[in-house]
Amino acid sequence: MTIALVLVSHSELAAGMKAATEFVAGPQDNFYAVGLKEAGIESYRLELQELFLKLKKTVDSVIVISDIPAGSPGANALVVGQESQLMIEFVSGMNLALVLEFILTRETKSLDDLLKDGMDNARESIQQAQLQVVSESGEEEF
């Protein structure tokens, strides 16, 4: 099964996430980034329509990963994806752990396992660090 990943976001976040992912994992096939820019929603939708038309010829399914739930980029990507009649899965809350999990394991897992494991990995990567101040004497201060 060939799975494409499409990152969607406000402005350049998706492009930056794609660049960061490829910095870690190397160049990837079937991996795209589309950002909603000042040109407006119609321009954005047209870019998505062209991409999904291209993907319909080469992949079995598409995972759309959005920056935030219910935002314009994700909502419009979902509508355009459904209109394309591609098999679309939609995930929001884009982070590097999520994208890397999808990229690095999409060829070895079922779509259901890929989605579950990717979202579990993304949740686990969100952590709060507890910083402690160490004085010049080397003792911890509270």
Side-chain angles (χ1 to χ4, degrees), residues 74-91:
N76 279 277
L78 191 54
V79 170
V80 172
Q82 289 171 334
E83 290 170 353
S84 75
Q85 298 181 353
L86 274 162
M87 182 178 180
I88 301 281
E89 295 289 344
F90 180 79
V91 177

Side-chain angles (χ1 to χ4, degrees), residues 129-142:
Q130 298 294 322
L131 303 178
Q132 296 181 1
V133 177
V134 178
S135 70
E136 289 184 25
S137 68
E139 295 182 21
E140 292 179 7
E141 296 180 358
F142 297 97

Side-chain angles (χ1 to χ4, degrees), residues 3 27 30-31 33-34 37 47 57 60 62 87 93 97 104 133:
I3 301 170
N30 296 312
F31 184 40
V34 182
K37 299 180 185 75
E47 187 175 352
K57 299 173 187 174
D60 300 304
V62 177
M87 182 178 180
L104 296 174
V133 177

Side-chain angles (χ1 to χ4, degrees), residues 87-142:
M87 182 178 180
I88 301 281
E89 295 289 344
F90 180 79
V91 177
S92 67
M94 180 190 323
N95 69 33
L96 189 56
L98 173 71
V99 178
L100 282 170
E101 179 71 20
F102 285 164
I103 284 292
L104 296 174
T105 63
R106 66 182 163 161
E107 294 179 7
T108 61
K109 293 183 179 179
S110 70
L111 184 58
D112 289 341
D113 287 344
L114 182 64
L115 290 164
K116 180 191 176 308
D117 293 349
M119 289 186 289
D120 287 346
N121 196 35
R123 279 188 285 274
E124 291 170 11
S125 75
I126 299 171
Q127 300 179 7
Q128 180 180 5
Q130 298 294 322
L131 303 178
Q132 296 181 1
V133 177
V134 178
S135 70
E136 289 184 25
S137 68
E139 295 182 21
E140 292 179 7
E141 296 180 358
F142 297 97

